[in-house]
């Protein structure tokens, strides 16, 4: 009997030892995210009984430091959920997914705007878990009161001139005192820079290409809207929260992005919607998002690559995106119905589909993370009248080229 019990114990131990312990670092921004991811971990373990998934949850603010310490200590996780700046920073220590699958075929499953983040030469250093897009929320009550129609077809958006005229009309003829709340970020401003035909880097990615009349036009158009009071000065000069003014019903529109859909669903004091982004020379948004990446010195890079492919595969990724109310970065996810916000999501997807691929190439360059705040500071100097848009672009070019060397 004792021999039998010992044999069972030995078999049990051998079984436990045979299991792969997959280490995952997952940042969270809301408690619901953790609950949802736990569900998918259980699904993966059920489909792969030889794998135990161990998840370390960290607040977003601690993610970069956590990964830096793990990499420095030569104990990187097998999989990490990261943002655009992280995937550029950890490129040198990333696992190459191309070793475990056809890299080109794998990368081409995703929107072209996201491919520059993950495809580095012949290597594939990660996979988009979701994609974000800048966009315009609007107060339906105020536009209705002012008798201003908002475009509903993304293929026929306002021009910049029509957009500005609409904002002026609504602020004069409705309870909305302000035309446009605008997030205080370089990424949000850059939506207009790309629409004007500007870009930050040249095709080689080794030289700044932002000092152009197109970029100058974008800064001047934005500065004029601030000067004329359509965009509250306090949001870019005093740190006022742009979302508060919109949620209080005092701002006709809000330049932000799809990640606010769930939060704005709590707004009950007025009806709101999502308008197609206006166009100037071209239509464009600025894509961002979250990614999965592995590390070449982790314990189980092959199992990590398998997990990444599973969670970004069509069926699982679309279900995961619906659960989180995020946009899938897969090309074949366009048109998928979420059951709520379907009209709004279709507008974001249309803007993403038309966005030039060089927008993703700009923001996947590590230099952009280094000059992000510098760019915003130069725009603020224009708003304060301390320099012209031309001088701002010259300063951005000099700082960018210094970081590209």
């Amino acid at each position: 009997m004792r021999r039998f019990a010992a044999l069972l114990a030995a078999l049990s131990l051998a079984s436990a030892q045979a299991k792969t312990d997959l280490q995952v670092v997952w940042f969270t921004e809301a408690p619901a995210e953790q609950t949802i991811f736990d569900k998918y971990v259980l699904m993966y373990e059920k489909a792969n009984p030889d794998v135990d998934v161990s998840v370390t949850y960290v607040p977003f603010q601690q993610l970069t430091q956590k990964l830096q310490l793990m990499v420095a200590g030569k104990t990187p996780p097998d999989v990490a959920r990261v943002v655009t700046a992280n995937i550029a920073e950890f490129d040198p220590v990333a696992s190459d997914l191309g070793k475990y699958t056809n890299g080109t075929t794998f990368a081409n499953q995703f929107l072209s705007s996201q491919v520059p983040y993950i495809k580095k030469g012949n290597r594939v250093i990660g996979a988009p878990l979701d994609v974000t897009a800048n966009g315009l929320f609007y107060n339906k009550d105020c536009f209705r009161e002012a008798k201003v129609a908002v475009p509903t077809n993304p293929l026929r958006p306002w021009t910049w001139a029509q957009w500005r005229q609409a904002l002026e009309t609504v602020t004069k003829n409705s309870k909305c005192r302000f035309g446009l709340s605008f997030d205080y970020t370089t990424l949000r401003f850059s939506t207009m820079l790309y629409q004007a035909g500007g870009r930050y880097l040249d095709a080689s990615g080794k030289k700044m290409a932002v000092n152009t009349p197109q970029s100058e036009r974008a800064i001047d158009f934005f500065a004029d809207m601030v000067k004329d009071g359509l965009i509250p000065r306090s949001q870019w000069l005093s740190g006022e929260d742009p979302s508060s003014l919109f949620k209080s019903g005092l701002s006709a529109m809000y330049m932000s992005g799809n990640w606010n859909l769930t939060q704005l669903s709590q707004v009950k004091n007025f009806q709101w919607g999502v308008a197609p982004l206006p166009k100037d020379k071209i239509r464009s948004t600025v894509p961002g998002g979250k990614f999965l990446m592995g590390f070449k010195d982790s314990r189980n890079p092959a199992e990590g690559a398998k997990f990444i492919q599973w969670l970004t595969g069509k069926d699982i990724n679309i279900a995961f995106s619906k659960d989180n109310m995020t946009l899938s970065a897969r090309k074949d996810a366009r048109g998928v119905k979420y059951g709520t916000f379907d009209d709004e999501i279709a507008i974001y997807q249309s803007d993403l589909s038309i966005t030039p691929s060089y927008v993703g190439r700009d923001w996947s360059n590590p230099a952009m993370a280094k000059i992000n705040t510098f760019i915003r500071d130069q725009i603020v100097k224009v708003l304060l009248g301390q320099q012209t848009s031309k001088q701002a672009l010259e300063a951005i070019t000099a700082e960018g080229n210094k970081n590209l060397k």
Side-chain angles (χ1 to χ4, degrees):
M1 190 64 183
R2 286 183 178 175
R3 282 186 182 176
F4 182 68
L7 179 60
L8 281 179
L11 288 173
S12 176
L13 178 61
S15 176
Q17 289 176 336
K19 280 197 169 187
T20 298
D21 182 23
L22 186 71
Q23 296 287 328
V24 176
V25 169
W26 197 264
F27 79 80
T28 57
E29 296 174 297
E33 289 185 339
Q34 182 170 331
T35 303
I36 293 170
F37 186 57
D38 283 343
K39 182 178 84 171
Y40 285 84
V41 166
L42 290 175
M43 289 169 60
Y44 188 78
E45 289 179 330
K46 185 176 180 180
N48 300 273
D50 58 336
V51 178
D52 276 333
V53 181
S54 301
V55 185
T56 301
Y57 288 103
V58 296
F60 174 69
Q61 294 80 2
Q62 298 174 16
L63 173 68
T64 301
Q65 183 181 26
K66 175 73 174 177
L67 291 177
Q68 287 171 340
L69 290 172
M70 294 180 83
V71 169
K74 300 190 183 306
T75 57
D78 300 309
V79 177
R81 181 197 195 200
V82 298
V83 295
T84 52
N86 298 130
I87 200 165
E89 177 181 354
F90 294 110
D91 174 0
V93 294
S95 174
D96 179 9
L97 296 178
K99 290 183 178 179
Y100 308 100
T101 186
N102 184 309
T104 300
T105 302
F106 179 77
N108 285 339
Q109 299 175 101
F110 305 105
L111 296 172
S112 60
S113 61
Q114 303 306 91
V115 173
Y117 290 103
I118 63 171
K119 194 86 165 46
K120 303 295 180 184
N122 294 324
R123 298 182 302 134
V124 178
I125 63 168
L129 183 64
D130 61 53
V131 61
T132 58
N134 294 347
L136 270 179
F137 296 97
Y138 73 101
N139 184 319
K140 288 186 176 180
D141 292 358
C142 285
F143 276 83
R144 192 180 300 118
E145 184 182 354
K147 297 181 172 51
V148 175
V150 176
T152 56
N153 185 346
L155 301 180
R156 297 187 182 85
W158 280 321
T159 63
W160 278 10
Q162 291 169 330
W163 180 33
R164 178 175 170 124
Q165 181 60 56
L167 292 173
E168 290 176 348
T169 303
V170 173
T171 52
K172 290 176 182 173
N173 298 285
S174 78
K175 60 187 175 185
C176 283
R177 291 163 43 200
F178 301 98
L180 177 64
S181 284
F182 209 107
D183 280 348
Y184 178 49
T185 74
T186 303
L187 277 168
R188 232 66 77 225
F189 162 76
S190 298
T191 310
M192 300 174 67
L193 184 136
Y194 290 115
Q195 289 171 350
R199 58 190 296 179
Y200 286 101
L201 306 179
D202 70 3
S204 73
K206 297 178 180 177
K207 188 178 178 183
M208 296 296 288
V210 72
N211 191 4
T212 63
Q214 292 82 5
S215 304
E216 201 172 327
R217 169 172 162 74
I219 296 177
D220 287 341
F221 186 83
F222 178 72
D224 281 346
M225 289 212 289
V226 174
K227 182 185 69 177
D228 296 340
L230 287 173
I231 298 174
R233 287 174 59 86
S234 56
Q235 293 177 358
W236 273 64
L237 301 181
S238 306
E240 183 184 17
D241 177 14
S243 68
S244 297
L245 204 59
F246 181 73
K247 287 188 284 191
S248 66
L250 295 176
S251 183
M253 302 194 94
Y254 175 30
M255 176 67 90
S256 188
N258 67 291
W259 53 90
N260 275 316
L261 282 172
T262 302
Q263 184 185 13
L264 289 179
S265 68
Q266 305 302 314
V267 173
K268 305 298 181 186
N269 51 324
F270 63 89
Q271 288 187 309
W272 58 269
V274 173
L277 285 168
K279 63 175 285 188
D280 190 43
K281 186 175 181 181
I282 64 169
R283 289 177 59 206
S284 182
T285 182
V286 178
K290 303 176 184 70
F291 297 79
L292 297 179
M293 68 182 304
F295 295 82
K296 59 186 178 184
D297 292 332
S298 73
R299 285 187 177 180
N300 304 296
E303 190 64 39
K306 181 180 172 183
F307 183 83
I308 291 171
Q309 292 175 70
W310 177 79
L311 196 52
T312 58
K314 181 179 179 181
D315 293 341
I316 297 297
N317 188 251
I318 289 176
F320 185 82
S321 300
K322 286 183 176 180
D323 284 349
N324 284 282
M325 283 307 299
T326 55
L327 303 180
S328 172
R330 294 188 58 87
K331 290 177 181 173
D332 50 15
R334 188 176 179 188
V336 168
K337 299 297 182 186
Y338 283 64
T340 182
F341 298 130
D342 284 329
D343 292 341
E344 291 81 3
I345 287 171
I347 289 173
Y348 288 117
Q349 289 175 327
S350 177
D351 286 335
L352 282 167
S353 70
I354 204 71
T355 296
S357 58
Y358 58 73
V359 179
R361 284 201 296 275
D362 275 2
W363 289 96
S364 64
N365 192 305
M368 290 301 294
K370 296 176 182 174
I371 64 171
N372 188 332
T373 303
F374 183 86
I375 295 171
R376 189 186 64 190
D377 292 346
Q378 298 312 304
I379 297 169
V380 168
K381 286 185 178 180
V382 175
L383 302 183
L384 290 170
Q386 296 175 351
Q387 65 181 0
T388 65
S389 55
K390 179 70 174 172
Q391 290 170 326
L393 292 167
E394 288 171 353
I396 293 167
T397 298
E399 185 69 13
N401 283 334
K402 191 166 61 179
N403 281 278
L404 285 167
K405 289 181 179 176

